[in-house]
Amino acid sequence: MLSGGLERGVGWCDVGWVQSTHKISGDAAAGFAAYLTAGASRGDYYAGDGDDEAAGMWHGSPAALTALGLDVERGVGRGELVSLMRGVSPGDGSVIRRVGADGSRVAGIDVTFGAPKSVSALWAVSDGYRRAQIEVAHRAAVASARERIEREVAVVRRREDGVLRWERARSLVAAEFVHTASRLTADQDAGSGGPDPQLHSHLVVLAAERADGRFAAVDSRELFRSARVNGAWYRAELASRLGGLGVGGAWPDGPRWPVFRAGGRAVGVVGAVVGAV
């Protein structure tokens, strides 16, 4: 297992997906909330953890979270998550997002940020201390990408004097869940092996805080349109923060990532996993 410093990258691998985006329908809210908050969903096959309920983290301005009755220190509770996915404040039960014209309500938008395979492999073969460092870097990069969306992407749609206008949110209310493995394939689920290491965060965007302090639904189209830029931002932030941990190397132009190595048998593990992608 890794316990010391890391050597420079020895090759390059494709980054693959760094951000994916999809809408969660209203009728899927309870099931998706159960998946996110179940301890097994985190994918800690490599860490050996099996908590009954996975810990999530709230994103949003302190004022917005307080208004919704959310306690940042306590983390994300399944009941609170389901309430927000139904468009209701967990604090007082008030409606914070109206239904659409067709009577339906989108439960949330799952914006998923995934680390490159070489970083996930490095996480899998590291000791607990190094894993924690990599996870902190990953979470910080996700938070930075969320802040970038707030600053740059007009995700709130408003109608004024019969004219539709788009504006940026004061803050996005979201719940983040970090998972460390991919979902099981059919063969793996049948018992032929474990899941692949895949460090990623589900950032479930639940509402937008408008400039006037009121809450509104998020226009998912703008999140889809900005996905490539948001993903690139996350990738650059993660690279910078990993560099601060001693994970070095030059960063080339284009969607590629350095393959990292360390002394001892970890080289073979990282090389084998990266070489397979």
Side-chain angles (χ1 to χ4, degrees):
M1 307 300 284
L2 296 180
S3 59
L6 303 173
E7 299 176 28
R8 293 180 64 86
V10 295
W12 302 99
C13 69
D14 289 337
V15 169
W17 63 273
V18 288
Q19 184 201 323
S20 65
T21 309
H22 78 272
K23 292 193 292 185
I24 307 163
S25 62
D27 56 4
F32 196 69
Y35 162 71
L36 290 174
T37 57
S41 71
R42 177 175 153 83
D44 281 337
Y45 174 86
Y46 299 91
D49 295 339
D51 296 336
D52 292 334
E53 186 163 327
M57 185 177 79
W58 291 114
H59 286 250
S61 72
L65 297 180
T66 299
L68 293 171
L70 301 175
D71 184 347
V72 176
E73 297 299 325
R74 191 175 69 243
V76 180
R78 186 176 299 175
E80 296 169 328
L81 179 60
V82 171
S83 292
L84 286 170
M85 293 177 87
R86 291 174 176 165
V88 176
S89 168
D92 59 15
S94 61
V95 176
I96 62 172
R97 290 189 288 113
R98 294 178 295 178
V99 298
D102 61 356
S104 65
R105 179 186 285 115
V106 174
I109 305 167
D110 180 16
V111 181
T112 305
F113 293 95
K117 180 61 73 176
S118 59
V119 175
S120 296
L122 182 62
W123 177 93
V125 300
S126 295
D127 60 22
Y129 179 72
R130 176 63 77 178
R131 283 180 177 177
Q133 287 184 311
I134 294 172
E135 287 192 31
V136 167
H138 164 74
R139 278 186 180 271
V142 171
S144 180
R146 188 262 304 162
E147 292 167 358
R148 187 261 163 198
I149 294 172
E150 290 174 345
R151 289 194 307 270
E152 305 294 339
V153 184
V155 297
V156 178
R157 183 175 58 182
R158 299 179 65 179
R159 185 179 294 275
E160 295 182 355
D161 300 325
V163 179
L164 275 177
R165 306 180 187 277
W166 281 261
E167 61 187 39
R168 292 184 294 274
R170 177 187 291 178
S171 74
L172 294 176
V173 177
E176 180 188 0
F177 294 86
V178 177
H179 293 175
T180 56
S182 61
R183 290 195 183 188
L184 291 172
T185 65
D187 289 341
Q188 290 168 342
D189 196 36
S192 63
D196 294 332
Q198 179 58 67
L199 178 63
H200 62 283
S201 279
H202 292 274
L203 185 68
V204 184
V205 181
L206 300 157
E209 180 190 13
R210 302 191 324 194
D212 59 8
R214 299 178 63 183
F215 294 102
V218 172
D219 188 345
S220 62
R221 291 175 297 181
E222 298 307 311
L223 285 179
F224 280 101
R225 289 170 180 165
S226 63
R228 287 183 178 273
V229 178
N230 301 334
W233 186 280
Y234 159 80
R235 183 180 64 204
E237 283 287 322
L238 181 60
S240 174
R241 294 175 187 277
L242 288 177
L245 298 177
V247 182
W251 311 107
D253 295 331
R256 299 199 300 163
W257 194 274
V259 176
F260 303 110
R261 66 171 180 169
R265 66 184 173 88
V267 172
V269 175
V270 175
V273 175
V274 171
V277 298

